[in-house]
């Protein structure tokens, strides 16, 4: 078979180029430390590598979300812990103020101390995070959620918004505690109504429960309870509404403190014994604020009235029950943050394990065996050198050299 000079040159050129390409590929692998630098190196492995890298990127994002959520939840948990300690101290102050041996001046000192603590509690509720956002404001993080109004009452201007963070596929966790859920919306310890006791109360009694028992027949209103003489010395109870003139809604004759009073879908229970001439009113209050509860206690101590009177004792009993309700509310929210932190730690550990497995599999697919690669590089260099040498000799061959 005849081989033309052009054909010979083409074959030798192709051989050298192939050896150069193989050598360059090995050099690129050694330089990068990866045996798969392009999909052409190993199409099947390249697909697996791409999938594992995408999984690791997603895991990294979840870990960042977990770090963000953990930081914010820890802040909320810490502030709620401080608030819980402060409220416990304020409750002790209220209990000290009940002491009958205290003078009005001594109670004023307690009230002043409690007012400072109330402002400190307000400061806790208005805590900012590292970005200057209010952590208890719901979604309205740019403005302080709690403030005193013109009447000295604490108002909440945030909302009930809960921000969430994705910490795993299909898994979200709350990253904040709204201020109303933490400080404002504690369940009324008595049920659905609050009580306003009369300063002229003589009987030793308290309203222990005031609940809506039948929503269908319930009529919301401010109701006044008057204990009256039936003319024979027997005490009756008249319940009237807020109309002018007032309408008597129901009459209990004779009144028995051991029997609940039911009317308009409401049930009232009393503990103790009222006296003829006593009265009190109720208004619908399903939820109470820890701020308002302490404000009322401070106002009671500042009023100069004797807290040892039946009315004072009844009001203090109601306030102490609502303080307990507010403490339970904060403790519940703090417990929820603790559960969230536990969940975050569990998913963080899961992501760490998942990334370790992915990284191990990725290493098997793309990491280069340097010993084998260097051996292969030496082989390719030798082959390239041989091909170049052969081409040089063949290209210089001439028939005239043998004549």
């Amino acid at each position: 078979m005849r081989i033309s000079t052009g054909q010979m040159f083409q074959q030798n050129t192709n051989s050298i180029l192939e050896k150069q390409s193989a050598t360059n590929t090995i050099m690129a692998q050694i330089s990068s430390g990866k045996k798969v630098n392009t999909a052409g190196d190993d199409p099947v492995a390249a697909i697996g590598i791409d999938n594992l890298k995408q999984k690791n990127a997603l895991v990294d994002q979840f870990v960042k979300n977990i770090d963000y959520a953990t930081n914010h939840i820890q802040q909320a948990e810490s502030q709620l812990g401080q608030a819980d300690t402060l409220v416990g101290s304020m409750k002790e102050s209220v209990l000290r103020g009940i002491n009958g041996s205290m003078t009005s001046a001594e109670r004023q000192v307690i009230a002043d101390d409690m007012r400072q603590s109330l402002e400190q509690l307000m400061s806790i509720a208005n805590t900012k995070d590292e970005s200057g956002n209010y952590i208890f404001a719901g979604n309205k993080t740019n403005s302080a959620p709690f403030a005193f109004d013109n009447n000295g009452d604490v108002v909440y201007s945030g909302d009930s918004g809960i921000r969430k963070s994705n910490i795993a596929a299909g898994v979200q966790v709350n990253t904040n505690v709204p201020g109303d859920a933490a400080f404002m919306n504690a369940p009324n310890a008595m049920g659905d109504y609050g009580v306003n006791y009369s300063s002229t109360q003589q009987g030793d009694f308290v309203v222990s429960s005031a609940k809506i028992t039948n929503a269908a027949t319930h009529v919301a209103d401010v109701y006044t309870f008057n204990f009256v003489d039936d003319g024979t010395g027997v005490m009756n109870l008249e319940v009237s509404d807020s109309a002018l003139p007032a309408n008597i809604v129901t009459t209990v004759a004779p009144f028995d403190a051991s029997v609940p009073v039911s009317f308009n879908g409401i049930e009232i229970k009393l503990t103790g014994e009222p006296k003829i001439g006593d009265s009190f009113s109720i208004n619908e209050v399903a939820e109470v604020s820890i701020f308002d509860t302490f404000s009322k206690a401070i106002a009671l101590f500042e009023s100069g009235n004797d807290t040892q009177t039946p009315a004072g004792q009844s009001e203090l009993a109601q306030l102490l029950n609502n303080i307990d309700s507010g403490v339970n509310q904060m403790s519940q929210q703090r417990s929820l943050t603790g559960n969230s932190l536990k969940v975050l730690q569990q998913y963080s550990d899961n992501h760490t394990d998942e990334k370790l497995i992915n990284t191990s599999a990725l290493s098997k697919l793309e990491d280069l065996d340097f010993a084998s690669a260097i051996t292969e590089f030496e082989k390719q260099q030798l082959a390239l050198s041989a091909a170049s040498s052969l081409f040089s000799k063949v290209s210089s061959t001439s028939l005239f050299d043998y004549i």
Side-chain angles (χ1 to χ4, degrees):
M1 179 180 68
R2 294 180 61 188
I3 299 177
S4 67
T5 301
Q7 186 178 3
M8 179 187 66
F9 271 87
Q10 185 63 47
Q11 288 178 343
N12 281 279
T13 300
N14 290 342
S15 177
I16 291 173
L17 291 175
E18 287 175 3
K19 299 305 180 184
Q20 285 181 333
S21 177
T23 301
N24 290 337
T25 298
I26 295 297
M27 289 179 64
Q29 290 176 342
I30 293 173
S31 176
S32 66
K34 307 296 183 184
K35 62 184 177 183
V36 180
N37 289 308
T38 66
D41 294 337
D42 189 337
V44 175
I47 293 174
I49 291 170
D50 186 56
N51 288 337
L52 289 170
K53 286 183 176 179
Q54 288 184 23
K55 287 183 179 179
N56 275 348
L58 185 60
V59 168
D60 288 339
Q61 185 58 57
F62 285 145
V63 170
K64 289 180 181 178
N65 292 348
I66 288 174
D67 290 341
Y68 172 86
T70 299
N71 180 51
H72 284 73
I73 293 174
Q74 283 178 338
Q75 282 187 314
E77 193 275 337
S78 175
Q79 295 303 318
L80 287 173
Q82 293 183 38
D84 188 46
T85 301
L86 182 60
V87 168
S89 175
M90 294 175 73
K91 181 181 177 181
E92 291 178 1
S93 297
V94 173
L95 293 174
R96 287 202 310 273
I98 295 175
N99 192 328
S101 63
M102 280 196 168
T103 64
S104 297
E106 289 173 328
R107 290 195 182 92
Q108 182 62 52
V109 172
I110 292 177
D112 292 340
D113 182 61
M114 288 182 62
R115 191 169 293 284
Q116 291 181 358
S117 296
L118 186 63
E119 292 176 356
Q120 185 179 351
L121 183 61
M122 173 86 78
S123 177
I124 291 173
N126 283 332
T127 299
K128 296 180 181 180
D129 63 16
E130 71 283 356
S131 300
N133 297 319
Y134 292 91
I135 67 175
F136 293 113
N139 289 324
K140 298 181 178 180
T141 57
N142 294 327
S143 58
F146 294 94
F148 290 102
D149 63 12
N150 294 332
N151 297 323
D153 297 326
V154 175
V155 293
Y156 179 64
S157 58
D159 60 23
S160 301
I162 296 178
R163 300 185 298 279
K164 296 180 180 293
S165 182
N166 293 316
I167 61 171
V171 180
Q172 293 183 322
V173 68
N174 298 344
T175 62
N176 70 307
V177 178
D180 55 352
F183 303 103
M184 300 297 289
N185 298 339
N188 182 354
M190 290 192 305
D192 302 297
Y193 278 79
V195 181
N196 300 306
Y197 294 95
S198 171
S199 59
T200 60
Q201 177 180 324
Q202 298 297 315
D204 184 11
F205 73 93
V206 295
V207 177
S208 58
S209 175
K211 298 180 179 180
I212 298 172
T213 55
N214 190 335
T217 60
H218 173 239
V219 179
D221 201 347
V222 176
Y223 295 99
T224 301
F225 293 67
N226 292 302
F227 298 93
V228 298
D229 190 337
D230 70 346
T232 64
V234 176
M235 182 171 62
N236 292 346
L237 170 63
E238 293 180 350
V239 180
S240 56
D241 60 20
S242 60
L244 293 175
N247 301 307
I248 295 178
V249 177
T250 187
T251 300
V252 180
F255 174 74
D256 183 354
S258 64
V259 179
V261 179
S262 298
F263 63 95
N264 288 355
I266 306 170
E267 182 182 81
I268 308 296
K269 294 181 180 179
L270 277 72
T271 301
E273 290 292 336
K275 291 184 178 180
I276 293 174
D278 286 342
S279 67
F280 66 89
S281 64
I282 64 172
N283 59 294
E284 192 171 359
V285 181
E287 297 172 333
V288 293
S289 158
I290 192 70
F291 294 107
D292 289 344
T293 300
F294 280 120
S295 293
K296 290 178 180 178
I298 292 170
L300 181 62
F301 290 149
E302 289 179 335
S303 66
N305 297 328
D306 188 359
T307 58
Q308 299 304 305
T309 63
Q313 289 292 297
S314 297
E315 185 173 354
L316 282 170
Q318 179 178 223
L319 290 174
L320 286 171
N321 286 334
N322 285 337
I323 289 173
D324 288 339
S325 182
V327 170
N328 290 337
Q329 179 195 27
M330 288 190 297
S331 297
Q332 182 182 21
Q333 293 300 319
R334 189 181 181 189
S335 177
L336 291 176
T337 60
N339 290 337
S340 294
L341 289 173
K342 183 177 180 180
V343 170
L344 288 170
Q345 184 60 52
Q346 290 175 343
Y347 276 97
S348 179
D349 293 342
N350 291 343
H351 290 321
T352 300
D353 293 341
E354 181 182 357
K355 188 167 185 180
L356 183 62
I357 293 171
N358 291 344
T359 302
S360 177
L362 191 60
S363 176
K364 291 179 180 180
L365 287 174
E366 69 172 358
D367 285 356
L368 183 68
D369 182 346
F370 280 94
S372 299
I374 291 173
T375 300
E376 182 65 23
F377 176 71
E378 295 292 343
K379 287 170 58 179
Q380 293 296 338
Q381 270 197 323
L382 182 60
L384 176 60
S385 178
S388 298
S389 178
L390 179 61
F391 180 59
S392 177
K393 290 182 178 297
V394 172
S395 63
S396 63
T397 301
S398 171
L399 180 60
F400 291 102
D401 293 335
Y402 300 93
I403 298 177

